[in-house]
Amino acid sequence: GGVDSSLTLKLVSLAYPTSSLAVIGVSAALPESQLELARTVAASIGAPLTEVKTDEGMNPDYIENKGASCFHCKTALYSTLKSVIDHTSTYSNVTLYNGTNKDDTSDPTRVGLLAAANFRVQSPLNELRKTEVRELAKHLGLPNHAHAASPCLRSRLAFGVEATAEHLRRIENAENFVKSTLGLTPEDNFRVRQLSGGRAMIELEGESFSSQRSLLNQNDIDKKFTDELGFTSWNVRPFKSGGEAVKVTLTKTKQ
């Protein structure tokens, strides 16, 4: 449901109107809201959407969340797609595309790019900055052109906090509560992160922390976060994209 992937789908659909389709990996790391958005965007483009279940959540290297989880997640996704292609006569001479942009390629924490390289995934947006992606998406009428970035739920977990289905559901439920309580829109940047010791950190954009904290308190956030969701505590700090990202070094493999 991200704007980068959406623009890629739009461009590929324009280039190959009768032989292109969208594919999204479905797992505990994908918020339900993003799956719904992906369906909406694909429908607006007129592209068929295939939803495939991925099994990164069964991989101990992914679960341990020590810097390489994105690599293992994307490897699971591309492996699943390759298996479908290899065992289905419907597809031949298939090219996989992703939404990687130029800003992504200069981010050393995006180890999922190595998985894409291992599977020879093409990136038609790799010469466009994020701002240019949004401008082109708006020009082409994509409904999510101004939506805030919303990476997978695993990215909300601090280094070493295990990426279990339980933790991912906790984050999703917490973000739904904050979004609803504060009246946030899809264009607003915010996160709920789980730090070590089960602590929740709410990241909000802007400087009205005091009023937002008061509003959260008025809506029984203590009951929601500690009693219902199992966090040990909660706090608020300024929003920072990639706030829990950690750089690791991986090596490209031969295919």
Side-chain angles (χ1 to χ4, degrees):
V3 65
D4 303 299
S5 297
S6 299
L7 179 58
T8 298
L9 175 60
K10 178 67 174 181
L11 296 177
V12 172
S13 296
L14 289 173
Y16 306 101
T18 62
S19 59
S20 60
L21 74 156
V23 182
I24 186 168
V26 179
S27 72
L30 178 71
E32 181 64 28
S33 61
Q34 285 298 302
L35 179 56
E36 290 296 331
L37 178 59
R39 292 167 177 163
T40 298
V41 172
S44 74
I45 293 173
L49 175 65
T50 297
E51 300 170 17
V52 297
K53 291 186 177 181
T54 56
D55 62 358
E56 70 276 7
M58 303 295 290
N59 183 348
D61 293 327
Y62 169 84
I63 294 173
E64 72 172 0
N65 190 29
K66 293 195 175 175
S69 292
C70 187
F71 170 79
H72 296 297
C73 178
K74 294 300 185 184
T75 296
L77 172 62
Y78 297 136
S79 295
T80 300
L81 296 183
K82 187 175 186 301
S83 178
V84 171
I85 293 167
D86 291 344
H87 294 87
T88 306
S89 59
T90 306
Y91 308 107
S92 62
N93 299 318
V94 174
T95 300
L96 299 178
Y97 297 91
N98 65 17
T100 300
N101 63 53
K102 190 171 185 177
D103 294 334
D104 297 332
T105 62
S106 61
D107 183 348
T109 70
R110 290 185 177 268
V111 294
L113 300 184
L114 181 58
N118 287 341
F119 286 86
R120 298 184 174 88
V121 179
Q122 303 301 303
S123 304
L125 308 184
N126 63 0
E127 293 299 324
L128 296 179
R129 298 288 186 186
K130 185 74 172 191
T131 53
E132 296 171 315
V133 169
R134 291 193 182 280
E135 289 171 1
L136 184 54
K138 181 179 181 180
H139 176 74
L140 292 174
L142 295 182
N144 58 339
H145 68 87
H147 283 202
S150 183
C152 75
L153 295 170
R154 199 279 314 159
S155 67
R156 272 71 149 172
L157 303 176
F159 182 88
V161 174
E162 291 189 339
T164 62
E166 178 186 0
H167 287 164
L168 298 173
R169 284 193 297 269
R170 176 185 290 171
I171 292 295
E172 183 173 15
N173 289 332
E175 290 196 344
N176 287 341
F177 173 82
V178 172
K179 182 177 181 179
S180 174
T181 300
L182 298 182
L184 301 177
T185 73
E187 298 180 13
D188 292 318
N189 283 307
F190 84 102
R191 299 280 189 275
V192 175
R193 303 192 187 279
Q194 180 168 330
L195 309 183
S196 61
R199 295 170 295 140
M201 183 60 68
I202 303 169
E203 295 186 351
L204 299 170
E205 201 168 41
E207 300 179 353
S208 53
F209 290 136
S210 179
S211 60
Q212 289 174 322
R213 179 188 288 272
S214 296
L215 188 55
L216 290 170
N217 276 319
Q218 291 169 21
N219 284 271
D220 293 327
I221 187 174
D222 286 327
K223 178 180 178 181
K224 182 68 177 182
F225 270 42
T226 58
D227 296 349
E228 295 183 22
L229 298 181
F231 289 111
T232 58
S233 64
W234 65 276
N235 209 334
V236 180
R237 70 185 182 192
F239 169 80
K240 181 182 179 182
S241 180
E244 299 304 323
V246 176
K247 179 181 177 181
V248 296
T249 301
L250 298 173
T251 304
K252 182 178 179 181
T253 59
K254 295 182 179 180
Q255 293 290 314

